[in-house]
Amino acid sequence: MKIPNYIAGSWVQPGGGGGGGAADYLPVTDPATGEPLGQVPLSARDDVGRAVEAGLRAFPAWREVPTVERIQVLFRLKALLERHQDELAIMMTREHGKLREESAGELKRGIESITQACAMPTLLMGETLENVASGIDCETLRQPLGVFAVITPYNFPVMIPLWFWPFAVAAGNTVVLKPSERDPLTHQRVVELAAQAGLPAGVLNVIHGDQRAVEALLEHPDVVGVSFVGSSAVARQVYARAAAFGKRVQALGGAKNHMIVLPDADLEAAARAVISSVYGSTGQRCLAGSIIVGVGEAYRPIRERILDGAGALTLGSGLEPNVTMGPVISAAHRDRVTGFVTAGEREGARLVLDGRKASVPRFPKGHWFGPTVFEDVTPDMAVGREEIFGPVAGLARAASLEEAVALAHRNRYGNAISLFTSSGAAAREFRYRAGISMIGVNIGVVAPMAFFPFGGSRGSFYGDLKAQGKDAVEFYTDKRVVISKW
Ligand code: NAD
């Protein structure tokens, strides 16, 4: 099945006319079974141009639709997504590999964004001040800007697009979405449901492809802004390129999240949070726990519990019952994770649980990587420094909370950090000094809900306005100031 683009309300294959020629395609396969699911086109600059033009043409009429009516479409989409949640979760598990309940959880978080975007009438309200000078009043109005590009990664193929486009369109803009080429199918179904909910043609357009399609979006003169999520190296390039072309841009990058356990923590609860944070979604999360720092005498007991918990995980297809960890996305990604583990051994980290030889005999074509644990990880080793994006925990020791936080600060990323403690004073000190954007206290995966900003700092984020919440409204609108005298 050749996966189509969605332009001006029609499903179209790229490369038709405009000098683009026939498009190249990449296979999309089930990472657990190896079953082919479709072929994704690598759209060319002309195809991107057609999608942007569709957005540009739809913008004036969509902007005229009162905000209270625009959000009715999103209310209806929310109801449709809830009605189709089982179908969507199964589709997502087949193309991404995550457990069916993880897919259902992802969908729920995506629906939460839509719900928040439905608050747009209130969120768009401006401010007024009467009599700024004698007989003169001043007010701000929030107005949409035009066509936004949204470029998203493979690890949350539905939730991350929904962090952005519902806010952009509720505010009166139009969108060209470039989803990940690795798992684009489930969101296609979301688009069908959005059309069924009454989203007019051209308001949301989808263009499939790789770097070439992204570059065409970043350079297109009619794209006013770019929301990007992906690895830090690409986020940084996207940020610089889009800014050079005069666009507003928010670019969320990768992560290397530290989890600090103090001796006074509830160790059972901390270990459960660590296991779910490190191994959930097979470690393919920007909020995944990566380095676990045991402070003082917390080290031994947390180490034992992590080893027990990791060793008890069961690999398999996310659609099977009793499976607790799915495959990684591709053979190439499995090889990349293997490369990190091999480098870790070479650099002197102690491998105490090795997932490299994991297999699931009933699925010989699956991309399996088992739970892995390293001890004695230091910040200068590749396993201590780089984002692995696989089911690998690195254990480290610190003598104090201060030393543990300093260890985290030696890393260039700054997405999320967690502390486990029963001390209010330690938690308060941590919150004050953490210096990283998403902070968890006795919480492993620090995922802000849709009415709060989502995004990191340092090497995990390029821009200033984050995803979701009030930042999304700020990003997708311009504040216009009206000064009147009658
Ligand atoms: P990726 O950077 O490979 O791809 C992201 C998007 O950019 C895709 O749409 C892809 O087609 C496009 N792309 C890839 N290379 C490009 C290039 N050279 N130029 C222009 N566009 C390019 O990321 P991925 O592997 O799909 O996703 C995993 C990464 O995303 C991890 O680093 C993860 O931490 C990060 N991520 C971050 C957050 C966050 O909130 N900060 C959330 C989810 C994922």
Side-chain angles (χ1 to χ4, degrees):
M1 189 258 291
K2 285 192 168 165
I3 299 165
N5 290 331
Y6 185 69
I7 298 178
S10 300
W11 296 100
V12 290
Q13 287 298 330
D24 294 332
Y25 288 82
L26 290 178
V28 178
T29 54
D30 180 330
T33 62
E35 183 197 343
L37 300 174
Q39 286 185 291
V40 67
L42 300 180
S43 303
R45 195 166 283 263
D46 286 349
D47 304 304
V48 171
R50 281 190 278 275
V52 175
E53 198 187 311
L56 200 62
R57 265 191 276 117
F59 175 59
W62 181 240
R63 191 203 158 178
E64 289 288 316
V65 176
T67 312
V68 286
E69 286 177 33
R70 289 199 297 260
I71 63 166
Q72 299 311 314
V73 176
L74 294 178
F75 274 121
R76 289 192 292 270
L77 174 60
K78 173 183 184 291
L80 284 169
L81 291 175
E82 283 164 348
R83 199 177 314 149
H84 291 271
Q85 59 186 340
D86 289 341
E87 170 202 343
L88 290 160
I90 292 169
M91 274 177 101
M92 201 191 304
T93 291
R94 289 187 70 208
E95 66 172 334
H96 175 282
K98 61 180 74 180
L99 305 180
R100 186 173 164 173
E101 54 270 29
E102 290 174 333
S103 296
E106 166 170 354
L107 188 63
K108 196 163 158 234
R109 300 306 301 262
I111 290 171
E112 201 183 284
S113 279
I114 295 173
T115 312
Q116 176 63 6
C118 288
M120 200 51 74
T122 312
L123 294 169
L124 277 184
M125 283 181 183
E127 295 175 314
T128 59
L129 183 63
E130 222 179 17
N131 231 30
V132 287
S134 184
I136 297 180
D137 303 329
C138 189
E139 63 190 307
T140 57
L141 307 170
R142 287 187 176 281
Q143 296 186 347
L145 287 155
V147 187
F148 277 86
V150 175
I151 300 153
T152 55
Y154 83 85
N155 66 325
F156 285 97
V158 167
M159 179 187 79
I160 294 184
L162 293 178
W163 277 354
F164 299 109
W165 74 253
F167 286 97
V169 305
N173 302 286
T174 59
V175 168
V176 177
L177 168 71
K178 206 301 284 171
S180 171
E181 62 276 35
R182 288 189 263 183
D183 48 9
L185 287 162
T186 315
H187 193 272
Q188 298 280 93
R189 184 75 183 114
V190 173
V191 175
E192 281 175 7
L193 295 173
Q196 196 178 321
L199 195 68
V203 173
L204 172 65
N205 305 278
V206 182
I207 191 96
H208 295 288
D210 60 6
Q211 180 173 356
R212 275 182 305 166
V214 172
E215 281 166 2
L217 281 168
L218 304 182
E219 293 166 12
H220 199 295
D222 293 323
V223 170
V224 292
V226 178
S227 299
F228 173 89
V229 183
S231 53
S232 282
V234 180
R236 197 180 174 142
Q237 279 171 33
V238 164
Y239 180 70
R241 192 90 189 130
F245 278 79
K247 303 178 195 317
R248 48 175 74 186
V249 46
Q250 48 182 188
L252 286 71
K256 184 82 181 168
N257 304 313
H258 288 59
M259 304 177 84
I260 301 169
V261 183
L262 294 189
D264 63 7
D266 173 343
L267 291 173
E268 296 301 334
R272 277 196 304 277
V274 167
I275 294 297
S276 106
S277 172
V278 174
Y279 301 108
S281 280
T282 323
Q284 299 165 106
R285 276 197 296 219
C286 71
L287 293 177
S290 185
I291 300 293
I292 319 307
V293 190
V295 174
E297 63 206 35
Y299 184 78
R300 279 277 132 207
I302 197 72
R303 173 195 185 275
E304 295 319 312
R305 285 170 175 78
I306 292 170
L307 277 172
D308 286 350
L313 293 169
T314 307
L315 280 176
S317 155
L319 295 177
E320 295 178 296
N322 306 322
V323 161
T324 46
M325 200 166 86
V328 296
I329 188 75
S330 64
H333 190 54
R334 184 192 51 213
D335 294 346
R336 186 173 177 274
V337 177
T338 301
F340 275 116
V341 175
T342 306
E345 276 189 305
R346 200 174 51 236
E347 290 180 313
R350 208 146 60 80
L351 189 58
V352 280
L353 186 64
D354 183 356
R356 283 175 296 186
K357 295 217 162 58
S359 67
V360 178
R362 60 193 178 281
F363 297 117
K365 291 188 185 157
H367 311 309
W368 307 112
F369 200 98
T372 297
V373 180
F374 270 117
E375 270 196 288
D376 301 331
V377 172
T378 61
D380 47 330
M381 296 172 178
V383 283
R385 197 179 61 228
E386 305 295 337
E387 179 179 46
I388 299 174
F389 225 54
V392 181
L395 308 189
R397 302 165 209 250
S400 62
L401 174 58
E402 196 184 355
E403 198 180 303
V405 171
L407 195 78
H409 287 174
R410 283 184 59 188
N411 193 272
R412 70 175 185 282
Y413 292 106
N415 213 38
I417 186 166
S418 292
L419 176 72
F420 295 86
T421 184
S422 56
S423 157
R428 199 266 170 199
E429 176 68 9
F430 171 71
R431 193 168 87 164
Y432 191 68
R433 310 239 170 248
I436 281 172
S437 300
M438 296 186 272
I439 301 173
V441 176
N442 297 323
I443 298 281
V445 183
V446 187
M449 289 186 81
F451 22 89
F452 286 102
F454 194 118
S457 43
R458 297 147 59 101
S460 293
F461 182 70
Y462 300 93
D464 25 48
L465 293 167
K466 309 241 166 123
Q468 310 185 149
K470 291 179 190 154
D471 276 27
V473 182
E474 197 77 37
F475 188 74
Y476 293 125
T477 57
D478 189 30
K479 285 193 291 290
R480 304 218 156 123
V481 183
V482 183
I483 304 167
S484 329
K485 184 178 181 190
W486 291 92

